[in-house]
């Protein structure tokens, strides 16, 4: 692809747009780090990652299934600062990295103005504005995806073994971050195979070898698929064609435009950018077509026997490519000179900033008793978690056991890192987690979120001596059962007894979140205990 020579003015415009975009994103993300309520999804990441590194890798690959890279990076972040904020700052770093790398990707495609435009789109996107401060892997996923794309473009241009090795190494990281990363990995591999045909396997061997490094992570993701009974055989479809298409369109709205007419405007710009890229470099046009079309097709043909919890956030790896395509179109509009380019970037920035949020919503802002979200003053993962977390900090000791992953235990860091935390609900995962519990466990802490009144005195009397029950009305019930226990299975049995006693004593109304929480975890614990 031949990009016309750029002058100093265009370079300055592109860099100014990049700096403004990065500053805008950071200004939005930084306040959210300490102000947003903690939620269960972040608790999973933090309470797994804070454990010794070997245990972290084993928990992710063998117990839970899935991609380990974010957990490993979070482990080192928490080693430096053992607080929930460290998880969120890690995401902020990768969100900013996504903006800078998206600039570089679009710059390679159509010059610095395209890079500046792409940076604006990425930095103002709803998905990065939400998940750029969320303590999970989504910002990392976007950053690794754009790194893989950027290095793939470099490899296409240079056509050297060294550049191909770098591109293959970056692509191999994709399934280490998220299962959907295998889509981009496979797409790049397919395009590379088409381009490499006839050049001899010997030169391709090192690149293939590096690319195969991603295979173990794909295999680990198969365990995650097994947890949700996802496959391509019998069972209900993962999504109807309409719902599969909706996942993609909502994701594109979260990239730019939010919802309504502006989504169409950005889609037209991206389509124009794709046409320009495909005309100049057909291989990149092919890659774009594959990565954008494949997700809804896979969602429509895959089958499942469980709730797959689909969300457009899982398609965040497409954000950099989409932003870059918009950037290419904007750069074409500004080819008449620096003033026109400046105007185009200004209009784009104004439209992107005023566009409504859409496509995804912040789980920390949604009222949910179990997950912990909502307005900070009433959310169970907000101000109401402070007092019960302080109780856990005072009481928890090395060798204790916490059940289950909870915003409460995340808020109790760093002291809660001494204990082993068990997963909720799923019997098969709880069963595998038993191997992590000390042979002679110490005390057991059970966290029960509830906006329903639970009589602490009655629960305490029903559980009997040796049990410390603390109620925080409208928020949490924390039960500590003194140890030590004779073996790990005894801990599971005691956790089930605590939940069963609470359910029988409190009698929360059927269909409420606390009733579901108690029943589903009782079922999971009893299911784990029923296996030898």
């Amino acid at each position: 692809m031949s990009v016309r020579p750029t002058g100093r003015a265009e370079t300055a415009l592109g860099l100014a747009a990049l700096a403004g975009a990065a500053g805008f994103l950071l200004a939005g993300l930084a306040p959210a780090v300490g102000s947003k309520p903690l939620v269960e999804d972040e608790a999973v990441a933090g309470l797994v990652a804070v454990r010794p590194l070997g245990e972290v890798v084993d928990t992710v690959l063998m117990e839970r299934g899935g991609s380990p890279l974010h957990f490993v990076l979070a482990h080192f972040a928490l080693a430096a600062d053992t607080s929930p904020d460290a998880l969120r700052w890690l995401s902020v770093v990768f969100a900013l990295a996504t903006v800078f790398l998206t600039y570089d990707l679009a710059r390679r495609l159509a010059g610095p103005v395209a890079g500046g435009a792409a940076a604006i789109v990425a930095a103002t996107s709803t998905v990065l504005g939400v998940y750029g401060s969320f303590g999970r892997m989504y910002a990392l996923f976007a950053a690794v995806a754009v790194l893989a794309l950027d290095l793939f473009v470099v490899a296409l241009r240079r056509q050297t073994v060294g550049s191909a090795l770098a591109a293959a190494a970056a692509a191999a990281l994709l399934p280490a971050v998220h299962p959907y990363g295998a889509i981009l990995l496979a797409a790049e591999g397919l395009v590379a195979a088409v381009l490499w045909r006839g050049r001899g396997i010997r030169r391709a061997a090192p690149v293939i070898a590096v690319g195969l490094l991603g295979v173990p992570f794909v295999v680990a993701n198969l365990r995650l698929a097994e947890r949700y009974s996802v496959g391509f055989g019998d069972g209900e479809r993962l999504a109807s064609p309409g719902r599969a298409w909706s996942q993609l369109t909502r994701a594109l709205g979260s990239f730019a435009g939010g919802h309504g007419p502006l989504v169409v405007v950005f889609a037209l710009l991206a389509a124009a950018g794709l046409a320009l890229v495909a005309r100049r470099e057909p291989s990149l046009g092919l890659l774009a077509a594959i990565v954008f079309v494949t997700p809804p097709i896979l969602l429509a043909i895959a089958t499942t026997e469980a709730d797959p919890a689909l969300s457009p956030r899982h398609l965040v790896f497409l954000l950099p490519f989409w932003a870059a395509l918009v950037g290419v179109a904007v750069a074409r509009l500004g080819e008449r000179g620096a003033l026109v380019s400046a105007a185009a970037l200004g209009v784009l920035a104004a439209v992107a900033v005023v566009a409504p949020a859409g496509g995804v919503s912040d789980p920390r802002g949604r009222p949910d008793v179990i997950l912990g979200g909502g307005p900070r003053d009433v959310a169970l993962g907000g101000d109401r978690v402070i007092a019960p977390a302080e109780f856990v900090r005072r009481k928890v000791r090395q060798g204790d056991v916490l059940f289950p992953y909870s915003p409460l235990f995340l808020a109790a860091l760093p002291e809660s890192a001494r204990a082993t935390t068990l997963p909720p609900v799923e019997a098969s995962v709880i069963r595998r987690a038993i191997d992590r519990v000390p042979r002679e466990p110490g005390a057991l802490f059970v966290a029960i979120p509830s906006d329903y009144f639970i009589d602490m005195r009655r629960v305490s009397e029903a559980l009997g001596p040796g049990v410390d029950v603390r109620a925080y009305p409208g928020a949490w019930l924390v039960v500590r059962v003194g140890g030590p226990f004779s073996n790990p299975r005894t801990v599971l049995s005691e956790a089930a007894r605590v939940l069963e006693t609470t359910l029988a004593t409190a009698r929360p109304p059927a269909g409420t979140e606390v009733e579901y929480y108690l029943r589903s975890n009782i079922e999971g614990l009893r299911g784990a205990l029923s296996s030898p």
Side-chain angles (χ1 to χ4, degrees), residues 228-263:
Y228 292 100
S229 304
V230 175
F232 292 96
D234 297 330
E236 295 186 8
R237 295 296 176 191
L238 198 60
S240 65
R243 188 182 181 197
W245 175 251
S246 173
Q247 290 294 305
L248 178 61
T249 56
R250 287 175 59 198
L252 298 182
S254 76
F255 299 164
H259 58 83
L262 287 180
V263 177

Side-chain angles (χ1 to χ4, degrees), residues 33 61 69 119 176 211 213 227 259 308 347 358 406 425-426 509 524:
V33 169
L61 295 182
L69 185 56
L213 293 175
R227 278 177 57 195
H259 58 83
V347 171
S406 165
V425 178
E426 296 175 75

Side-chain angles (χ1 to χ4, degrees), residues 367-427:
D368 192 300
V369 171
I370 296 175
L371 301 184
R376 183 173 179 84
D377 59 337
V378 297
L380 270 64
D383 293 341
R384 295 189 178 188
V385 81
I386 296 173
E390 183 58 34
F391 167 72
V392 174
R393 285 197 196 97
R394 292 197 313 269
K395 296 291 186 178
V396 71
R397 299 292 183 270
Q398 190 74 30
D400 288 352
V401 178
L402 313 177
F403 181 85
Y405 295 132
S406 165
L408 192 161
F409 296 137
L410 180 64
L413 288 175
E415 287 81 1
S416 58
R418 304 168 183 167
T420 300
T421 310
L422 296 177
V425 178
E426 296 175 75

Side-chain angles (χ1 to χ4, degrees), residues 42-57:
E42 295 177 301
V44 172
L47 294 170
V48 169
V50 78
R51 300 292 292 169
L53 185 58
E55 182 180 325
V56 172
V57 174

Side-chain angles (χ1 to χ4, degrees), residues 297-326:
I297 292 176
L298 290 178
L299 291 177
I301 64 176
T303 58
T304 183
E305 297 176 5
D307 181 4
L310 297 178
S311 171
R313 69 180 182 271
H314 300 306
L315 301 180
V316 69
F317 71 100
L318 298 174
L319 167 64
F321 214 162
W322 187 255
L325 293 175
V326 172

